[in-house]
Amino acid sequence: QVQLVESGGGLVQAGGSLRLSCAASGRTFSSYGMGWFRQGPGKEREFVAAITWSDGTTFYADSVKGRFTISRDNAKNTVYLQMNSLKPEDTAVYYCAAAYLRIGREPRSYDYWGRGTQVTVSS
């Protein structure tokens, strides 16, 4: 079992920055591909970014490429999402997810989910 707890969300003006954190329980964090997803009001959950368990290769949705950066610290069992140049359309609940020895852009690829953290970007 892996438990994920997100933090770092909040209210920010357009053009601002936030850093989300996702703390994971368990001793095998380094064996999990980690992803960030988001779900805006009335929208389906969508892929934001992911990072592999092995060499730290990263993947991004086109909508956030160049603005968001995903990273991980296996010693701290934590994955981060640095969000810069935020836009009102980035407003959503952001979820952290873990997948054992795999990675993907679809929610069904992931085994464990956090409860989410709200990000609101005002114009």
Side-chain angles (χ1 to χ4, degrees):
Q1 277 281 38
V2 175
Q3 292 185 326
L4 304 172
V5 179
E6 302 95 337
S7 61
L11 173 64
V12 64
Q13 288 188 333
S17 299
L18 283 174
R19 187 175 84 153
L20 305 184
S21 299
C22 172
S25 66
R27 294 176 289 179
T28 58
F29 177 74
S30 60
S31 297
Y32 284 82
M34 300 298 297
W36 284 98
F37 289 77
R38 67 186 181 187
Q39 189 164 13
K43 298 182 179 179
E44 292 187 354
R45 193 168 297 191
E46 65 173 357
F47 171 76
V48 175
I51 186 166
T52 61
W53 66 96
S54 52
D55 59 1
T57 301
T58 57
F59 304 87
Y60 296 95
D62 288 343
S63 58
V64 307
K65 201 172 294 183
R67 299 188 298 123
F68 291 11
T69 302
I70 187 172
S71 61
R72 66 188 297 160
D73 185 337
N74 287 342
K76 295 182 178 180
N77 281 14
T78 301
V79 63
Y80 304 97
L81 185 68
Q82 177 67 45
M83 305 186 296
N84 299 328
S85 302
L86 282 161
K87 305 175 181 179
E89 50 264 44
D90 295 318
T91 294
V93 177
Y94 283 71
Y95 297 91
C96 172
Y100 184 65
L101 294 179
R102 67 179 178 273
I103 207 75
R105 293 174 178 263
E106 296 295 328
R108 63 175 178 265
S109 297
Y110 292 82
D111 304 307
Y112 302 101
W113 291 83
R115 293 189 174 186
T117 184
Q118 176 71 47
V119 171
T120 303
V121 184
S122 63
S123 57

